Amino acid sequence: MDALASEKVPSPMMAMFTGLKPSSHGIRQWELESLGLRPGDSELVGRESSPKQAGINLQTRFSTWTPLINKAANRQLFEERVTLVCHWFDLWTDKQRKQFIRSVLMRCSKSQLKFTRDWFTRTIPVARLDFTTVLPRFLSLYVFSFLSPRELCLASQVNWHWRVLTEQDCLWMPKCVQHGWFLPYTPPDNEYGAWKRHYVACACSLDYLTPREAANIYGVLEEPEEDTEERADRWKERLLRRLIQHRLARQKKESLRSRPPWLSGKWNAGQHNERPHVSTSQTSLDQSRMSSTLLQLKDKNSQSNVTLSQLLREESKLSALCSPALEKQRVLGSLRALCTRKNLTGGGAYPTLPHSGAARPVNEGSAQPHVILISSRIPAWEMVLDCVRVGVIPMVYEHSGTTLDSLLYRLENVLRGRRARSIGIVAEGDPSEVDLVQGCKISAKNLPEAKIRGFWENLGGYVLSQQGGGHINIFVPLAASEAGMELLSQLSALTGLSYSAPTGILTGSYQRILSEWLWEHEDPAPPATYFNMEKLQGWSRMAHVLEEALRTVRKQIKPYLRGLRKDICGRMTGQLMFDAMSPGKVQENQETAQALTEGLITMSSEKQVNPLEFLSTFLMSRSRKSTLLKPGETFLTEGDGGIDLVKEGEGAEAGCVEPASRHLQEQEETFQVLSRLNRRLLGDFVGNRTQFAREALSSERDYVQTLEIVKDLYWAPLRAALASNRAILSTANIHVIFSDILSILDLHRDLLGDLTDRLCEWGPSQCLGGVFVKFSTRLTNYTNFFNNYAAILKTVDKCRNTTPGFRAFLTRHDRTAVTKMLSLQEMLLSPSGRFEEYVTVLYALRLHTPAEHTDHDDLTAAIGNLKCFRDYIRQLKLRSERDRQMAEAQGSIAGTPILLEANRYLIQVQEVAQMSSPDRKICASLRIYEHISDLSLFLFNDALVFASKTVSHLPFERSPKTSLQFLASVALPRLLIEDVPDSKYIKNAFVLQGPKRQWICATETEEDKATWLSILESAVRAAVEET
């Protein structure tokens, strides 16, 4: 029974054998023979196989043909299968082999793939490799950054991958910036190779000469023979020595002719000596004259390729006799000695000037004048000087070359022991600070500093007390902000005087000084106290335009007025400009001209069938509108007539306070007056906020209108001409000129829409701060515009000079009624002053917004953001102005080294007389000096440059011609200053000593000396602190 059962039930191995079907991958005969079986014995295998069999154990793993326990059979079977697979591999085609290898590698694990890689590395070593495929991308770009532009172009031809890498903007942008080639727009993220194309375009547009062209123009440089060259050098040297000897002999004869009898040496014992005695001072004088003669005989271009920094370093190496620490102590010691030394005439020390006017008793018999201080940084300050009323004492001071001490010293000389009834200060500033002098901006934060506090205390000493009607007026809109009101309160508490300032609600040019003032006196408003109002209004509307015109006028008229004082010269120049402007006619016809301009602009924007009828209707509506509006409902903008300076009926409160005997009571009364003014200013905050909100909307509408003029009258016709195949400018030039200004226009259209929506629903709880906060986060377009501003103007000038069609186009559109009598360049200038108006209006709006109002925090954030961008624009303007001054100084001094270097700027230029003493052994009070030459001292922030001044008169001309020749330069940290006491023979002199030589200089007036030494001391201290 068991045998029958075993025959009927096959084993699992046997079932597998019987279930196999022939296929291309079937079992061959030799595979069965390897197990000791024949093809016909498949049934026997099933019968004889049992778990108890002692033969080959057929338990398998992964495959029924791979025995698990018998290692020898397993190894043999594996080798046979490998042989079989290799036999198949040899029979396959190349495509099948690659497919098989790929399928095998796809089935491998990571360790097996690593084994394959190592085997390939050992078998086939790597001889060459593309580093861009192995290194990270940033390392590959760093390697490519060392290649020149030509090498990068060659590398881009290797393959596609190298071309992508070598055309990256990070490689080409530094090469463009190095040559000053800036991309006039910001490339979008999807643009590729913009900087390379810009480099190629700029390089292709360069003008260069081939060697043959250069030879035809300049000739061929032939090397002379050695004998001829040496002979010519000897001859030139001989002529130079002879010329120097002749000049020294002539100078010696002239000095002997003017020598005093007691120094002639005809009767003293030195007459019998074989070798006459020569004093050390006379020797140094001859050496200085000889060195100056040699410098004048030098070639003017000998130092054209040497920078001033290199020249100073070479001099410091040659003259380094002491350690830097010891030299620093010497310089600081000379400054301390300068501050404590007194002159022989009893005057004060330099440059710490005496302020004794505050301590002098008031002369009751003399009138107390009004004094107005005018900063030279004010645009067209000559016209402001000409606006001053008769009886008011004006004092003009240099903003960039004046310190607080020298300003007080000049004021003391002007008053001559009297006390002023009031002092007005016309200076630059914003609602939070006053830019009084360069490097010193007065604000509530730095007022506690000793130097600034002392200045205001001394300034208050020159004014009558508050009971006597004394006050100080600051023509800066400090009353338009909380920080400015705090500054006024601190100044009042410090000096015991009343201070007033404009509220600054006018956004046009300098019309803020014509706005309502913080004023509670019976006297007229401060502008009417000091100035002629008709002239002042004419100047305030066109200050910046007049400043540009006056730059040319100053250069032309300066030689004729050289001998006059600065204030007289400025008043004459201002009168000349006012006569040219005819301010009476301008004031009379201003309202009519403005109405006609607005009517023409409106008519040009709309197509009218009958233009004359439309214009007459517009003027009639404008006339009815101006008569119906009440003065209190009119919000003031640039160009509006009838400006109310001070509200009527708001005088001082009734009753008068008896004169206080104590200074504390005066301070309390002053503080109470300011508090009352502040409460009055903040009382009706709803009406004031409405007024300032309307002012913001009105000024924004005017600004957007100016930008739309640029788009409609310039950009649109140029694009239309380009589309009609009659191009005036190329697409690239149009994009460079107008792309940034058009993006700014879109930004301000959104801002104008938001302001209009808020004003339509205006109420006490309405907010404007959020609108300006949103606007302040979208100023990237302005950054691009100011970065490309120089390139835009250069492109406009280039196209105008090279393209006749564009020149004719500008002639038709510039300075017409539609463009508000402005040119394209002047309208492109409008964005630079817009942020000043934003800050002023927002300061005033926040001042009249209660602290608990929801808009107060947003206004504060918006002011902070816009103020940062305004400071950025100011820095750009300051940098441009400094570069212009440096270029003028570079061009005016012949033979000077290169002055235009980074972080160097001009501080002051001073004309002095170079003096010389024959013998310094004589007592200082009896020492005689002679004037040997005229010098011009150019003070920079790191060096002092000496230039000799030569004046020559031309036939039939009154004004002389002045030329400057470079003499020497001294680094400020190595400059020693010594005061020369005034005596019978010399006035206003001082000594400047460098490492190699010294100069005895004298100014024309004591005021010039005090101002110059004060500026020089500040510059030397700043330079020493930086080292």
Side-chain angles (χ1 to χ4, degrees):
M1 294 295 292
D2 296 336
L4 293 174
S6 62
E7 291 179 359
K8 292 180 181 180
V9 182
S11 64
M13 184 66 71
M14 193 61 197
M16 185 176 293
F17 287 156
T18 57
L20 290 174
K21 296 182 180 180
S23 63
S24 60
H25 301 285
I27 300 174
R28 300 294 179 88
Q29 179 179 359
W30 62 273
E31 293 177 344
L32 296 176
E33 290 178 354
S34 63
L35 296 175
L37 301 175
R38 293 189 301 274
D41 297 339
S42 58
E43 296 180 358
L44 297 175
V45 173
R47 294 193 188 116
E48 296 175 359
S49 300
S50 63
K52 298 180 181 181
Q53 185 177 359
I56 299 175
N57 191 348
L58 296 181
Q59 294 181 3
T60 61
R61 181 184 179 188
F62 299 120
S63 175
T64 55
W65 298 103
T66 306
L68 184 61
I69 297 177
N70 195 331
K71 295 183 179 180
N74 190 3
R75 188 182 305 107
Q76 180 182 358
L77 182 59
F78 174 73
E79 293 175 356
E80 291 173 354
R81 291 188 176 183
V82 170
T83 305
L84 177 62
V85 173
C86 292
H87 176 69
W88 289 344
F89 189 82
D90 294 338
L91 298 177
W92 290 339
T93 62
D94 182 67
K95 183 177 180 180
Q96 291 174 340
R97 292 180 180 180
K98 291 179 180 178
Q99 186 176 0
F100 174 73
I101 293 173
R102 183 175 180 278
S103 61
V104 171
L105 292 177
M106 291 294 292
R107 294 174 179 269
C108 294
S109 61
K110 291 185 178 180
S111 60
Q112 295 166 356
L113 291 174
K114 183 178 180 182
F115 170 79
T116 306
R117 183 197 62 188
D118 296 340
W119 183 86
F120 274 108
T121 303
R122 291 193 304 270
T123 308
I124 308 175
V126 179
R128 58 182 61 88
L129 182 65
D130 185 0
F131 68 91
T132 60
T133 60
V134 180
L135 295 178
R137 182 186 179 90
F138 72 95
L139 289 180
S140 301
L141 292 175
Y142 179 72
V143 173
F144 281 126
S145 66
F146 293 96
L147 299 182
S148 64
R150 183 182 296 273
E151 293 169 346
L152 285 175
C153 294
L154 293 175
S156 64
Q157 302 176 8
V158 174
N159 53 35
W160 180 87
H161 182 60
W162 279 45
R163 178 171 182 175
V164 172
L165 291 177
T166 54
E167 292 186 356
Q168 295 297 318
D169 290 342
C170 62
L171 298 178
W172 290 94
M173 183 177 66
K175 302 183 186 304
C176 291
V177 173
Q178 183 180 5
H179 295 285
W181 300 338
F182 296 93
L183 201 62
Y185 66 97
T186 302
D189 296 336
N190 56 354
E191 187 172 356
Y192 173 72
W195 282 95
K196 180 181 178 181
R197 291 193 298 271
H198 184 62
Y199 184 93
V200 174
C202 294
C204 293
S205 62
L206 291 177
D207 295 332
Y208 64 94
L209 297 176
T210 61
R212 180 172 297 178
E213 294 173 346
N216 294 334
I217 296 176
Y218 303 106
V220 181
L221 181 64
E222 298 180 357
E223 296 184 359
E225 298 179 359
E226 295 182 359
D227 322 349
T228 308
E229 186 175 1
E230 292 179 0
R231 196 180 303 110
D233 291 341
R234 293 195 202 98
W235 181 252
K236 289 180 181 178
E237 184 177 359
R238 191 178 305 166
L239 289 177
L240 183 61
R241 288 180 179 177
R242 188 177 302 172
L243 182 60
I244 293 174
Q245 290 175 359
H246 286 317
R247 291 195 178 185
L248 290 177
R250 185 170 63 253
Q251 291 179 0
K252 186 175 182 180
K253 289 180 181 178
E254 293 176 355
S255 64
L256 290 175
R257 288 174 185 172
S258 59
R259 195 174 185 182
W262 57 84
L263 295 178
S264 60
K266 292 183 179 179
W267 56 270
N268 56 10
Q271 195 175 27
H272 304 282
N273 296 338
E274 295 181 0
R275 298 181 61 186
H277 173 70
V278 181
S279 63
T280 56
S281 61
Q282 185 69 26
T283 305
S284 62
L285 175 61
D286 293 339
Q287 291 178 354
S288 64
R289 287 175 176 173
M290 184 173 180
S291 61
S292 62
T293 305
L294 288 171
L295 286 172
Q296 292 176 0
L297 293 175
K298 263 188 185 178
D299 185 15
K300 294 183 179 181
N301 299 323
S302 60
Q303 296 177 347
S304 58
N305 296 326
V306 180
T307 62
L308 182 60
S309 300
Q310 294 176 354
L311 186 62
L312 294 176
R313 284 195 296 267
E314 291 176 0
E315 291 181 356
S316 63
K317 291 179 182 178
L318 296 176
S319 59
L321 301 178
C322 57
S323 62
L326 182 59
E327 190 172 12
K328 182 177 180 180
Q329 292 179 0
R330 289 180 58 193
V331 172
L332 294 178
S334 70
L335 295 180
R336 287 191 294 269
L338 181 70
C339 295
T340 56
R341 183 164 183 170
K342 304 288 183 179
N343 59 17
L344 297 180
T345 59
Y350 298 104
T352 303
L353 306 174
H355 312 309
S356 56
R360 296 178 184 175
V362 180
N363 188 359
E364 299 295 341
S366 61
Q368 287 78 29
H370 297 279
V371 181
I372 184 72
L373 307 182
I374 303 174
S375 172
S376 63
R377 191 169 179 82
I378 294 294
W381 60 266
E382 293 93 344
M383 301 186 66
V384 180
L385 182 61
D386 190 58
C387 296
V388 177
R389 296 173 62 92
V390 177
V392 178
I393 302 177
M395 194 188 83
V396 181
Y397 67 93
E398 287 289 341
H399 174 268
S400 60
T402 304
T403 60
L404 297 178
D405 287 331
S406 60
L407 188 60
L408 289 174
Y409 178 73
R410 291 191 58 187
L411 182 61
E412 179 184 353
N413 290 339
V414 166
L415 291 175
R416 298 177 182 177
R418 300 172 294 177
R419 283 193 175 184
R421 181 177 180 83
S422 67
I423 294 179
I425 301 175
V426 183
E428 285 279 1
D430 57 31
S432 62
E433 60 186 12
V434 182
D435 190 4
L436 194 59
V437 295
Q438 186 178 17
C440 182
K441 294 184 178 181
I442 311 299
S443 63
K445 296 181 180 179
N446 61 5
L447 185 61
E449 296 180 5
K451 185 177 181 180
I452 298 177
R453 186 178 67 252
F455 167 78
W456 288 103
E457 289 176 349
N458 290 320
L459 183 66
Y462 293 115
V463 187
L464 294 176
S465 62
Q466 187 176 1
Q467 287 74 20
H471 54 273
I472 296 178
N473 306 309
I474 303 176
F475 286 72
V476 177
L478 297 176
S481 68
E482 297 173 348
M485 292 295 297
E486 182 182 358
L487 176 60
L488 293 177
S489 301
Q490 292 181 4
L491 289 175
S492 299
L494 180 65
T495 60
L497 297 173
S498 62
Y499 286 76
S500 62
T503 58
I505 62 174
L506 295 178
T507 57
S509 192
Y510 275 80
Q511 294 188 74
R512 58 173 180 257
I513 65 176
L514 302 178
S515 61
E516 182 182 358
W517 277 67
L518 197 66
W519 187 250
E520 268 200 1
H521 291 274
E522 297 179 358
D523 297 336
T529 302
Y530 299 100
F531 300 106
N532 183 341
M533 291 307 300
E534 287 188 3
K535 290 186 175 182
L536 188 65
Q537 289 178 9
W539 166 81
S540 63
R541 293 186 181 93
M542 304 178 65
H544 292 287
V545 178
L546 294 173
E547 170 63 22
E548 296 180 2
L550 272 169
R551 289 178 185 174
T552 306
V553 175
R554 292 188 191 111
K555 293 181 181 179
Q556 297 296 330
I557 206 172
K558 185 177 180 180
Y560 297 94
L561 305 178
R562 186 181 302 275
L564 300 178
R565 291 172 50 188
K566 184 175 181 179
D567 54 349
I568 300 177
C569 178
R571 188 181 287 274
M572 294 177 64
T573 306
Q575 183 62 44
L576 178 65
M577 289 297 297
F578 272 117
D579 292 342
M581 286 177 56
S582 62
K585 295 182 179 179
V586 173
Q587 182 69 18
E588 180 181 357
N589 300 327
Q590 182 182 6
E591 186 176 357
T592 305
Q594 183 181 2
L596 286 173
T597 302
E598 293 180 0
L600 290 174
I601 293 173
T602 307
M603 185 177 64
S604 62
S605 60
E606 303 176 2
K607 295 182 179 180
Q608 301 296 332
V609 180
N610 194 345
L612 293 178
E613 181 180 357
F614 173 79
L615 187 59
S616 61
T617 306
F618 179 84
L619 293 177
M620 289 296 294
S621 63
R622 175 68 181 267
S623 176
R624 288 194 300 267
K625 183 178 179 181
S626 61
T627 56
L628 291 176
L629 281 177
K630 298 179 181 179
E633 297 176 353
T634 306
F635 52 93
L636 302 175
T637 57
E638 182 176 2
D640 290 339
I643 299 175
D644 188 13
L645 298 177
V646 182
K647 292 183 179 179
E648 299 292 338
E650 290 184 353
E653 294 182 357
C656 58
V657 183
E658 296 181 357
S661 59
R662 293 179 300 175
H663 184 64
L664 182 61
Q665 184 177 358
E666 295 180 1
Q667 293 183 356
E668 291 179 354
E669 292 174 357
T670 305
F671 187 75
Q672 290 176 3
V673 171
L674 276 175
S675 301
R676 185 166 59 253
L677 285 172
N678 194 11
R679 288 195 299 270
R680 189 197 75 186
L681 202 61
L682 297 176
D684 187 14
F685 71 91
V686 177
N688 291 331
R689 291 191 76 242
T690 304
Q691 185 179 10
F692 289 122
R694 289 179 178 178
E695 174 66 19
L697 177 62
S698 176
S699 61
E700 185 66 22
R701 186 180 291 113
D702 294 339
Y703 181 61
V704 171
Q705 185 181 16
T706 302
L707 298 181
E708 286 179 344
I709 290 174
V710 176
K711 179 180 180 181
D712 297 338
L713 294 184
Y714 292 94
W715 177 80
L718 292 175
R719 291 292 301 179
L722 185 64
S724 61
N725 295 327
R726 292 180 295 177
I728 300 176
L729 290 182
S730 62
T731 306
N733 289 332
I734 294 176
H735 182 79
V736 169
I737 297 172
F738 297 102
S739 60
D740 294 326
I741 203 71
L742 292 181
S743 59
I744 291 175
L745 174 59
D746 296 336
L747 174 63
H748 282 274
R749 280 176 174 172
D750 297 339
L751 177 61
L752 180 61
D754 294 339
L755 291 176
T756 304
D757 295 341
R758 298 292 176 93
L759 265 295
C760 290
E761 302 175 356
W762 185 255
S765 60
Q766 187 61 270
C767 301
L768 287 182
V771 176
F772 285 97
V773 169
K774 176 184 175 182
F775 168 74
S776 63
T777 59
R778 302 171 58 190
L779 299 180
T780 308
N781 297 329
Y782 270 100
T783 305
N784 297 335
F785 174 77
F786 286 112
N787 289 339
N788 302 326
Y789 184 54
I792 291 172
L793 296 180
K794 188 179 295 184
T795 304
V796 173
D797 295 337
K798 178 182 177 182
C799 295
R800 186 181 183 278
N801 295 329
T802 59
T803 308
F806 186 62
R807 185 185 299 110
F809 177 81
L810 292 180
T811 304
R812 290 194 305 269
H813 292 83
D814 281 350
R815 303 188 185 281
T816 59
V818 183
T819 61
K820 300 181 180 181
M821 303 306 295
L822 299 175
S823 63
L824 175 60
Q825 292 86 342
E826 291 172 343
M827 285 187 284
L828 293 177
L829 186 63
S830 57
S832 62
R834 183 56 183 158
F835 284 87
E836 296 282 353
E837 300 176 359
Y838 282 144
V839 173
T840 302
V841 172
L842 291 182
Y843 264 127
L845 192 62
R846 188 182 67 174
L847 178 64
H848 298 280
T849 301
E852 62 274 6
H853 198 281
T854 56
D855 199 25
H856 192 274
D857 294 338
D858 291 338
L859 287 174
T860 303
I863 289 173
N865 297 337
L866 296 177
K867 192 175 179 181
C868 291
F869 201 83
R870 182 208 61 183
D871 295 340
Y872 164 71
I873 298 175
R874 285 183 176 179
Q875 288 295 327
L876 294 179
K877 291 181 180 179
L878 179 61
R879 195 179 308 161
S880 177
E881 182 180 357
R882 287 178 174 177
D883 292 343
R884 179 179 58 81
Q885 293 177 353
M886 293 294 294
E888 291 178 356
Q890 182 78 49
S892 62
I893 308 175
T896 182
I898 299 175
L899 302 176
L900 297 172
E901 295 184 80
N903 301 326
R904 177 180 294 129
Y905 58 89
L906 181 65
I907 299 177
Q908 180 75 357
V909 180
Q910 181 65 41
E911 305 289 340
V912 297
Q914 184 180 6
M915 312 300 290
S916 177
S917 176
D919 196 347
R920 303 197 65 178
K921 293 182 179 180
I922 304 176
C923 178
S925 60
L926 300 176
R927 192 175 300 162
I928 297 177
Y929 294 87
E930 57 179 350
H931 182 185
I932 59 176
S933 65
D934 293 327
L935 297 180
S936 291
L937 307 180
F938 290 80
L939 177 61
F940 300 94
N941 61 321
D942 60 343
L944 180 64
V945 174
F946 296 81
S948 63
K949 180 181 175 182
T950 304
V951 179
S952 59
H953 290 77
L954 301 177
F956 310 106
E957 292 188 9
R958 296 181 183 274
S959 61
K961 181 180 178 182
T962 304
S963 60
L964 299 176
Q965 177 67 36
F966 176 78
L967 288 180
S969 61
V970 180
L972 291 186
R974 311 187 67 188
L975 180 66
L976 301 178
I977 310 172
E978 182 183 353
D979 182 30
V980 176
D982 291 352
S983 65
K984 182 180 179 181
Y985 304 101
I986 192 169
K987 299 286 186 183
N988 311 320
F990 54 91
V991 179
L992 301 177
Q993 184 174 354
K996 294 183 178 180
R997 56 175 298 190
Q998 68 176 8
W999 295 266
I1000 303 175
C1001 306
T1003 59
E1004 291 186 1
T1005 62
E1006 184 182 2
E1007 180 181 334
D1008 292 341
K1009 174 185 176 181
T1011 304
W1012 169 252
L1013 290 182
S1014 179
I1015 300 167
L1016 187 60
E1017 183 206 6
S1018 302
V1020 171
R1021 287 189 183 277
V1024 170
E1025 291 175 359
E1026 290 180 359
T1027 56

